[in-house]
Amino acid sequence: MKTLVLNCGSSSVKFQLIEMDNEEVLAKGVVEKIGSSEAILNYQPEGKNKIVQTREIINHDVAISLVLRTDRKSTRLNSSHTDISRMPSSA
């Protein structure tokens, strides 16, 4: 089973996609400067080239939607058998 772990801070979202059967990290990344017209997505799928994009991301909903779309394109994430965990920030 694949699990997407999110750690949401005040202006960022860190994430990892983990294959729970063997605890392998399939992808990881961060969206920074949320609320800015120059927000940054850093996304690293395992064994593939790193993706870095700068774009307007107005809030956390948009950031998480972007993460979900990016994961599906790069790792063939299928929500029908995926748990999504939202973890509160420690702030």
Side-chain angles (χ1 to χ4, degrees), residues 1-3 17-26 46:
M1 173 176 34
K2 295 180 179 81
T3 300
L17 179 62
I18 302 170
E19 176 58 63
M20 296 306 293
D21 295 338
N22 59 8
E23 299 182 10
E24 176 185 6
V25 176
L26 301 175
E46 184 64 31

Side-chain angles (χ1 to χ4, degrees), residues 34-56:
I34 295 171
S36 165
S37 61
E38 297 181 1
I40 302 166
L41 166 68
N42 285 289
Y43 177 75
Q44 179 65 59
E46 184 64 31
K48 297 183 181 179
N49 292 331
K50 184 176 184 178
I51 297 168
V52 179
Q53 295 179 353
T54 301
R55 58 169 52 189
E56 182 176 41

Side-chain angles (χ1 to χ4, degrees), residues 16-87:
Q16 286 190 340
L17 179 62
I18 302 170
E19 176 58 63
M20 296 306 293
D21 295 338
N22 59 8
E23 299 182 10
E24 176 185 6
V25 176
L26 301 175
K28 62 183 176 180
V30 62
V31 181
E32 300 175 290
K33 299 170 73 175
I34 295 171
S36 165
S37 61
E38 297 181 1
I40 302 166
L41 166 68
N42 285 289
Y43 177 75
Q44 179 65 59
E46 184 64 31
K48 297 183 181 179
N49 292 331
K50 184 176 184 178
I51 297 168
V52 179
Q53 295 179 353
T54 301
R55 58 169 52 189
E56 182 176 41
I57 300 176
I58 59 171
N59 58 36
H60 283 72
D61 288 339
V62 173
I64 292 168
S65 293
L66 178 62
V67 168
L68 291 173
R69 285 194 315 270
T70 303
D71 280 341
R72 284 192 179 109
K73 288 179 185 175
S74 299
T75 61
R76 296 188 182 101
L77 176 65
N78 182 339
S79 62
S80 67
H81 60 272
T82 302
D83 289 337
I84 297 177
S85 301
R86 294 185 183 204
M87 300 177 67

